Amino acid sequence: MTMMSVTFEVMFRVEAEVESGEVVCVVGDCDRLGNWDPHHAVVLSRESSIPGQCRKNNQQMENRCDKENRKTCDVWRKKVKLCGMKNYNYRYFVCQIIESDSEFTERTVKVIRWETNILPRVFSPADYMKDPGKYDAEIMKFGEYGGKNHVTNGWLTDQSEIHIRIHGNPIRMWKPKYRKQTYRIKCTPLDQRYKDHLDEDEEEDEWGTHVSPPSTFTKVLVSTLDERHINHCVQSESGTIFEAGSYMIFTAETTEPESLGFQFDFYVNQEGVTPKHIGYCYLLPVDLKKSNDTKTVPITGLNHKPIGQIDLDYLTVKPVPGLDLKMDVSYQNYWKFERKSLDVGHRGMGSSYKHKKLAAVRENTVQSLQDAANHGADYVEFDVQLSRDMIPVIYHDFHVAITYRKKKRGELEFYQASVKDLKLSELQSMKLAHASRISDNDRDDIHEDDIDPTDLQPFPTLERVFEAVNPATGFNIEIKYPQEKVNGEFEEINFYDRNKYVDIILRVVMRTAGHRRVVFSSFDPDICILVQRKQNKYPTLLLTNGEDVEKYVPYLDLRTRSIDMAIYFATFSNLLGIDVLTSTLFRNMDKIEKVKEAKLVLFCWGEDNNDSNAINTLKQKGVDGIIYDRIDFFKSGDKSVFQVEQEQTERILMSAGLLSPTDTLQNLEPSFGSESEVNS
């Protein structure tokens, strides 16, 4: 006998704050709800507005961020037909939609923010049948359910994001009277699509000093990496004050980056006096060809003569082509702060090239990572970069020492080569040594890799370590990217384009990660921005030396040179947190509390961690993750905290009859850290 399918006409109804041009959608785990794809989500209709309820929120926004576009509290709804008695999982999100003009292309969707509680909302047909009227009348609140409220900003789906940065002392005015002034700077987007259709009269009469009409579809927000405007703020009529030594960021999103330019207007700032407009400059699409660069452009006075120049540093972040990102779950800004500090294996079982006598096995190999996992590491940390044939490989340094034999001489010699200049097959087959062997003339390990098994060989691929290492062990993936140091030294030159570089690594991670916990990190702030904006699943940490100038030569980038600046940057970029050199923390223990006040996760790294007293002190102070060598020396037990939590939860669920002895939580659903909580 065939059971007739039961059909429900379900009312999805939610109250959400939106700005002009934004809509609310529902997405879920079936065809009717888009199968977690934002492009196929159900668009809700506005039912009513509740402006009074928004006044308080808008006032708070204005107090924090100058003047921001006012949001309205609207109720949105839509009836959707669902079939069958299975439970349906779903989430709400706020977005902007541009419908496609062609039947062969999807509509453009820009996700503004979305519900990211680990467990999605659930529609239960069984509960619905008990009281359909009650369910239809209920108005849910965006982001609030299950006793939690978790909303995350969207990622780059179809649009690109351009950051224009002004920092340090970038303004050089040529007239003495202008040199000591403090300036306000305003950035206006320019639509270059119409540059070939303007006649001479239109250029001046209609838009004044603008070379193109202002873009009505692009909004430029401003931030400063300090206590004032860390959040993205709407600009005032006369711009935002720039103080020498500070870091200002203008951010714009666009679906047509090749047609977007910018005009910058400069106003003299004086207390109690209306700001005086004294000049302007342009950054046009022709100047924005690379993923990132610094341009020096002239500042033109109102009499159309040059009065100075400014350095404008930009970064263009593009979505990953062809990467299919769903909305079923996100861990980007999720952390279980009540959990004890995590033990993270540094390059697996520790640094082997720098500390040969301390290391158990060669660093950054499959064996090293798996040995750390076997000794109970919660995460293992390792370094990723690309080979010449664009394959992500695990290796710390940008250079290796290649062995060769001179003519008429028997001994082997070294010369330095870049990892990026060698193919994977060359990296895995040539006689290579660590670059430090060149300076210390150490040939002891030249022949060691001849007899080592595959899992002890250097340069395993990222895909290989995902396949080989226990999936219960988390991965802290440090993405290597060379930077300039304050002494003018570059870690590497002629490196890969940032967008292309990150895209390749992300594709491998998204394809092979499965249920494994993943946290990205990088010393390069721009890499952190790209990783955070290009995907919607895994969190990112900024690595920093903090204020240390003794152990390492500082990077030139201001965002890397203090814990305070790292906090500001992580907050601005919506990163999960920061990863700080431990010696800096020990000199500034009060910074631990400052990180916590900013609601950021704190990891730490460095040789100071190779001490049980130091590890215990950091754990007592509430550091969330401690990266150190030789997990087998300092970690008690052979299970990670995640394995222990999972086994405890499974025992409770089995005793309650909610889990069969043949099932495990890992088999039933993805988990980032025992989020399948019993009380859920």
Side-chain angles (χ1 to χ4, degrees):
M1 184 175 66
T2 303
M3 295 288 293
M4 292 185 62
S5 175
V6 181
T7 300
F8 301 90
E9 195 168 44
V10 182
M11 175 67 77
F12 290 94
R13 205 160 179 232
V14 65
E15 177 188 307
E17 289 189 354
V18 296
E19 293 184 9
S20 175
E22 296 176 352
V23 297
V24 179
C25 297
V26 61
V27 66
D29 61 355
C30 65
D31 289 343
R32 293 289 181 93
L33 295 176
N35 288 315
W36 296 120
D37 186 342
H39 295 90
H40 299 120
V42 176
V43 182
L44 307 187
S45 301
R46 182 186 278 109
E47 175 184 313
S48 62
S49 295
I50 318 172
Q53 190 171 339
C54 277
R55 290 194 189 111
K56 182 178 179 181
N57 292 336
N58 281 326
Q59 186 61 47
Q60 290 172 343
M61 293 293 289
E62 289 180 5
N63 291 340
R64 184 179 76 237
C65 197
D66 287 342
K67 295 179 181 178
E68 176 142 14
N69 285 359
R70 284 187 175 272
K71 297 178 180 178
T72 59
C73 288
D74 299 331
V75 175
W76 297 75
R77 69 176 181 178
K78 185 83 170 185
K79 282 192 174 183
V80 180
K81 287 185 178 181
L82 300 177
C83 300
M85 291 299 293
K86 81 173 191 71
N87 288 352
Y88 292 88
N89 298 319
Y90 66 99
R91 299 179 187 275
Y92 292 109
F93 66 97
V94 177
C95 67
Q96 293 177 340
I97 295 177
I98 302 175
E99 295 295 344
S100 173
D101 295 330
S102 169
E103 61 179 311
F104 302 108
T105 58
E106 293 183 328
R107 62 191 182 191
T108 298
V109 177
K110 174 184 172 183
V111 178
I112 307 298
R113 56 192 176 278
W114 59 303
E115 297 181 326
T116 51
N117 289 339
I118 296 300
L119 299 175
R121 295 180 186 268
V122 178
F123 168 72
S124 168
D127 291 343
Y128 177 81
M129 291 180 68
K130 295 175 184 177
D131 192 349
K134 179 181 177 181
Y135 189 95
D136 289 343
E138 182 181 5
I139 300 177
M140 301 176 184
K141 288 195 174 183
F142 185 79
E144 296 183 14
Y145 62 94
K148 299 178 181 179
N149 188 334
H150 211 290
V151 175
T152 300
N153 290 340
W155 69 102
L156 297 181
T157 49
D158 303 311
Q159 77 279 21
S160 296
E161 186 171 87
I162 300 175
H163 294 216
I164 302 172
R165 290 82 68 98
I166 303 172
H167 49 85
N169 293 283
I171 302 173
R172 294 178 292 282
M173 291 297 189
W174 296 335
K175 289 187 178 182
K177 69 175 183 177
Y178 288 145
R179 290 176 187 166
K180 296 183 179 180
Q181 302 281 7
T182 298
Y183 293 97
R184 303 179 72 97
I185 305 175
K186 183 176 183 181
C187 177
T188 304
L190 303 176
D191 193 339
Q192 290 282 286
R193 289 176 299 173
Y194 305 108
K195 64 181 183 297
D196 297 327
H197 304 287
L198 299 178
D199 57 41
E200 294 180 2
D201 292 335
E202 284 180 321
E203 287 187 25
E204 277 300 319
D205 295 344
E206 208 168 325
W207 296 294
T209 58
H210 291 288
V211 294
S212 299
S215 175
T216 57
F217 298 105
T218 301
K219 179 169 61 176
V220 176
L221 301 176
V222 64
S223 308
T224 54
L225 299 187
D226 54 31
E227 299 283 2
R228 296 178 299 157
H229 302 127
I230 303 176
N231 298 288
H232 300 268
C233 303
V234 174
Q235 302 176 80
S236 68
E237 288 298 319
S238 54
T240 304
I241 297 174
F242 177 80
E243 297 176 351
S246 64
Y247 204 107
M248 178 180 287
I249 307 165
F250 295 102
T251 308
E253 292 187 8
T254 177
T255 55
E256 297 183 331
E258 67 281 352
S259 301
L260 185 63
F262 300 91
Q263 173 170 319
F264 298 86
D265 290 288
F266 297 83
Y267 300 81
V268 174
N269 183 72
Q270 293 178 319
E271 285 292 332
V273 179
T274 301
K276 179 183 178 183
H277 188 206
I278 57 101
Y280 55 91
C281 70
Y282 299 105
L283 196 63
L284 302 178
V286 69
D287 301 314
L288 305 171
K289 295 297 185 183
K290 299 180 180 179
S291 285
N292 59 287
D293 203 356
T294 300
K295 296 291 183 180
T296 300
V297 297
I299 299 173
T300 303
L302 301 185
N303 61 358
H304 305 295
K305 294 181 180 179
I307 59 173
Q309 63 188 46
I310 184 171
D311 296 329
L312 299 174
D313 165 25
Y314 75 86
L315 171 72
T316 300
V317 189
K318 299 179 180 180
V320 183
L323 187 61
D324 187 21
L325 296 171
K326 302 296 186 180
M327 302 182 76
D328 52 334
V329 69
S330 174
Y331 311 110
Q332 273 202 324
N333 293 100
Y334 179 85
W335 194 260
K336 253 186 130 175
F337 285 102
E338 64 271 21
R339 177 184 285 127
K340 67 177 185 177
S341 303
L342 301 181
D343 295 279
V344 184
H346 182 224
R347 305 180 198 172
M349 289 291 284
S351 174
S352 64
Y353 298 119
K354 193 172 183 180
H355 304 291
K356 290 185 66 177
K357 294 181 180 179
L358 174 65
V361 294
R362 182 184 282 117
E363 68 181 55
N364 276 333
T365 59
V366 170
Q367 188 67 56
S368 183
L369 300 174
Q370 184 56 52
D371 282 357
N374 292 340
H375 284 92
D378 303 315
Y379 276 77
V380 287
E381 180 270 348
F382 55 84
D383 311 274
V384 175
Q385 54 185 306
L386 297 187
S387 63
R388 183 181 176 184
D389 43 355
M390 303 288 188
I391 298 174
V393 295
I394 314 303
Y395 198 73
H396 177 269
D397 288 28
F398 292 108
H399 304 96
V400 293
I402 294 182
T403 59
Y404 72 100
R405 198 181 301 278
K406 288 185 176 180
K407 290 182 179 180
K408 300 181 181 180
R409 295 187 62 184
E411 65 269 22
L412 292 172
E413 301 289 341
F414 294 117
Y415 79 89
Q416 182 171 284
S418 297
V419 172
K420 71 177 179 63
D421 292 333
L422 298 171
K423 294 181 179 179
L424 175 64
S425 59
E426 295 168 335
L427 290 169
Q428 293 184 337
S429 64
M430 295 175 69
K431 284 188 176 296
L432 304 175
H434 192 259
S436 62
R437 299 294 180 262
I438 297 175
S439 57
D440 59 26
N441 203 30
D442 182 359
R443 299 182 178 86
D444 290 345
D445 65 348
I446 289 178
H447 297 287
E448 286 182 3
D449 56 4
D450 288 347
I451 58 174
D452 284 340
T454 301
D455 285 352
L456 276 173
Q457 296 283 352
F459 300 102
T461 65
L462 179 59
E463 187 167 1
R464 169 62 183 156
V465 299
F466 267 110
E467 294 171 349
V469 178
N470 186 344
T473 303
F475 280 179
N476 176 191
I477 303 174
E478 180 188 336
I479 299 180
K480 306 290 291 186
Y481 202 88
Q483 296 189 72
E484 182 181 2
K485 299 181 179 179
V486 294
N487 61 5
E489 175 190 347
F490 286 87
E491 293 180 304
E492 180 60 283
I493 58 173
N494 300 322
F495 210 67
Y496 296 105
D497 172 86
R498 273 186 173 85
N499 273 289
K500 185 175 183 179
Y501 183 79
V502 172
D503 289 354
I504 292 171
I505 294 171
L506 286 181
R507 284 197 188 96
V508 173
V509 173
M510 295 300 172
R511 185 178 72 249
T512 59
H515 293 168
R516 189 188 302 274
R517 300 164 184 86
V518 174
V519 174
F520 292 106
S521 63
S522 182
F523 280 100
D524 184 282
D526 287 347
I527 292 295
C528 290
I529 292 173
L530 267 68
V531 171
Q532 182 73 10
R533 299 295 288 131
K534 285 174 175 282
Q535 52 88 34
N536 66 351
K537 192 168 186 178
Y538 300 116
T540 308
L541 303 173
L542 172 68
L543 278 157
T544 178
N545 299 335
E547 289 78 4
D548 178 82
V549 295
E550 299 173 1
K551 294 189 176 183
Y552 303 95
V553 178
Y555 291 118
L556 185 62
D557 194 321
L558 287 172
R559 297 170 294 179
T560 68
R561 282 155 58 185
S562 74
I563 295 177
D564 284 352
M565 187 60 87
I567 292 172
Y568 298 144
F569 172 75
T571 302
F572 159 78
S573 304
N574 291 311
L575 304 186
L576 180 68
I578 61 177
D579 191 346
V580 181
L581 179 63
T582 299
S583 59
T584 309
L585 280 182
F586 279 150
R587 289 195 297 269
N588 304 274
M589 294 296 276
D590 59 313
K591 298 295 185 182
I592 295 177
E593 187 58 33
K594 186 166 184 178
V595 175
K596 298 296 181 182
E597 290 174 356
K599 298 181 180 179
L600 297 173
V601 167
L602 176 61
F603 276 37
C604 64
W605 63 278
E607 294 181 19
D608 293 85
N609 290 350
N610 294 326
D611 177 88
S612 58
N613 291 329
I615 293 172
N616 290 333
T617 298
L618 293 165
K619 288 185 176 182
Q620 290 169 6
K621 292 292 184 179
V623 175
D624 299 295
I626 303 167
I627 303 172
Y628 56 87
D629 299 318
R630 296 306 298 266
I631 284 283
D632 55 333
F633 280 0
F634 303 114
K635 171 80 188 296
S636 60
D638 58 359
K639 292 182 179 179
S640 72
V641 64
F642 307 120
Q643 290 173 299
V644 173
E645 288 178 354
Q646 180 174 314
E647 290 174 1
Q648 291 173 344
T649 303
E650 287 172 355
R651 284 196 296 270
I652 295 172
L653 292 177
M654 286 179 186
S655 65
L658 300 175
L659 190 70
S660 71
T662 57
D663 281 327
T664 66
L665 294 182
Q666 195 71 30
N667 295 334
L668 295 179
E669 59 178 289
S671 169
F672 198 64
S674 198
E675 283 76 30
S676 303
E677 298 159 12
V678 177
N679 61 5
S680 297

